[in-house]
Amino acid sequence: MKWLLILSFLMCLNDEIIIFDKDNNTQNWYVVNDTVMGGISTSAVKINDKGNLIFSGKVSTENNGGFSMTRMPIAIGLNKQHSKIVLKVKGDGKQYQLRLKSNESQRYSYVQAFKTNTQEQEITLPLTGFYPTFRGRKLNFGNFSDNQIEEVAILIGNKKDEDFSLEIIKIAIQ
C-alpha cells in the first residue's frame, strides 16, 4: 500500500500532456500562408522518417505578405499544475512564434516568440507569458489564463524574405 501511494504521487508530479511527438504524430496539421491576404509565401508540413514534423517553406514580403503558419485543432483541458509548454525542436537560427487559442472560434491568438538554433534544443515557454494578438497587433487585455487549449500553431513572420525549416520533435504541456 505504501508503494502504491508513492507511485500515485510520482505520477501526479509528471502530469505531462503530449501534443506532438514521434508516438503521437497523426494529428491534422495544416498550413495557412499569407496567400489568404494576397501574399505569395509558401510552406508545407510533413512527417519525416524519424516521426518528427517538418514545417518548411519560403516567406515572401511581396504583395504585402510575410508569414507562413501551420496549425492544428486540438482539445486539451488544463489544470493548475500545467504551467508551461515545452518544445523540443531543431531549427535554422530563425525566430518563430508558438500560438494558442483557448476557443477555436476566437479571432485572436495568444503568442510567444522563440528563437531556434541549428542544434536540437528544448525551449520552455510559460503559459502566462502568452500575450493576445490579432493580425500582428498586441491586444490590450490579459495574458493567457484559460483552462483549455483548442488550437496550437507555429508561425514565422520576421518581416523579411527567407527560406525556413523547423523540425518539431516534441510539444508538451507540463
Side-chain angles (χ1 to χ4, degrees), residues 48-62:
N48 70 9
D49 58 351
K50 297 177 190 172
N52 300 332
L53 183 75
I54 306 295
F55 174 45
S56 62
K58 182 176 182 68
V59 174
S60 172
T61 56
E62 285 187 49

Side-chain angles (χ1 to χ4, degrees), residues 77-132:
L78 303 173
N79 63 41
K80 294 185 187 302
Q81 285 73 40
H82 298 127
S83 63
K84 60 190 173 186
I85 294 185
V86 178
L87 303 170
K88 193 171 188 180
V89 298
K90 183 175 180 184
D92 51 12
K94 295 179 172 63
Q95 180 169 290
Y96 293 82
Q97 294 177 359
L98 184 65
R99 303 169 70 88
L100 307 174
K101 286 188 177 184
S102 56
N103 184 312
E104 66 182 328
S105 65
Q106 75 190 36
R107 296 189 50 143
Y108 60 91
S109 294
Y110 291 96
V111 174
Q112 199 165 158
F114 62 95
K115 179 105 168 103
T116 66
N117 59 44
T118 57
Q119 305 299 313
E120 190 173 296
Q121 66 189 120
E122 188 170 282
I123 300 167
T124 301
L125 302 171
L127 283 172
T128 57
F130 284 83
Y131 59 90

